[in-house]
Amino acid sequence: MFSIFKGAESPEVLKKRAKQAYEKVVESSADTFEANRMRRGMAMLCCAQLDKTFISGAERMADWQQMAAFAVAKNEEPPPMPKADCYQKIRSGKTDIWSYLPQEYADSAFMFGAKYQRTELTVEQAITAMQQVADNICLSEIGLGFEIVVMKFLRQELTQSEKASDVEEDLSGMSNE
């Protein structure tokens, strides 16, 4: 299914095919093995794109904040706020695949990444918000019968910080004895 996104064709052609593939999967009502395999593959691709778009939102917001601060210091207009792209290159094995998400989902993931960068969202809030976006795409749009977990990198970070907090509590409890 995804081999159509590889090759020496122009990025514009590959992006168009990515969008067509997404729309084909969303419009499909077939309940065959092949249709379900395509739904799973598309859902995995979309979730990878959500993660990447969240990270892009955080990184680009950090860059924008710095450029805006410099502009303000020079009494200049700050640059325009960065925007999400509904297309992403996703690494699949040794190759890249173009992926498409409707703009509303790309914008949401990008905005949550930007808010997380600006500390307007906690780790837990960011994970919850992004999981809701993923569920909308996978369960409602694509018609997948199960949830795909997104933001594994943040979930691991949260788990590690919880473990560190538990160790600190244990150590502080030992010193009081």
Side-chain angles (χ1 to χ4, degrees):
M1 172 188 151
F2 297 115
S3 62
I4 63 173
F5 305 114
K6 302 175 192 169
E9 294 182 87
S10 73
E12 291 74 28
V13 169
L14 297 173
K15 287 177 181 181
K16 182 178 177 183
R17 286 190 183 159
K19 184 176 181 179
Q20 289 171 339
Y22 177 87
E23 290 170 346
K24 179 180 177 182
V25 169
V26 167
E27 293 168 3
S28 174
S29 60
D31 191 24
T32 63
F33 176 80
E34 181 64 21
N36 289 325
R37 184 181 70 77
M38 288 180 70
R39 281 187 192 95
R40 284 189 306 273
M42 186 58 68
M44 297 292 287
L45 198 56
C46 288
C47 288
Q49 183 174 352
L50 284 174
D51 285 355
K52 215 173 164 180
T53 303
F54 178 91
I55 292 167
S56 175
E59 291 173 345
R60 290 178 59 201
M61 180 53 65
D63 292 343
W64 180 85
Q65 286 174 317
Q66 189 173 27
M67 289 186 298
F70 287 139
V72 168
K74 293 179 178 181
N75 290 325
E76 296 175 359
E77 281 291 314
M81 292 275 288
K83 296 187 186 297
D85 190 355
C86 57
Y87 297 95
Q88 287 273 356
K89 266 189 188 179
I90 306 294
R91 187 59 131 178
S92 177
K94 295 180 180 180
T95 60
D96 290 330
I97 298 173
W98 280 100
S99 176
Y100 167 81
L101 277 178
Q103 194 66 51
E104 66 185 275
Y105 295 123
D107 288 342
S108 292
F110 191 87
M111 177 196 62
F112 290 136
K115 284 185 172 188
Y116 179 72
Q117 174 64 32
R118 293 187 309 242
T119 65
E120 294 174 19
L121 291 178
T122 65
V123 174
E124 295 90 351
Q125 291 169 327
I127 291 169
T128 300
M130 289 296 292
Q131 189 62 55
Q132 288 174 346
V133 174
D135 290 348
N136 281 342
I137 294 167
C138 295
L139 304 175
S140 301
E141 294 274 326
I142 294 174
L144 199 63
F146 55 91
E147 177 180 275
I148 294 185
V149 176
V150 293
M151 308 299 288
K152 290 179 183 172
F153 63 96
L154 267 186
R155 292 173 195 266
Q156 290 172 343
E157 183 180 301
L158 181 62
T159 302
Q160 290 170 352
S161 69
E162 287 173 347
K163 286 179 184 175
S165 174
D166 290 345
V167 169
E168 286 176 21
E169 284 179 26
D170 291 346
L171 292 175
S172 68
M174 294 173 100
S175 63
N176 293 337
E177 294 176 4

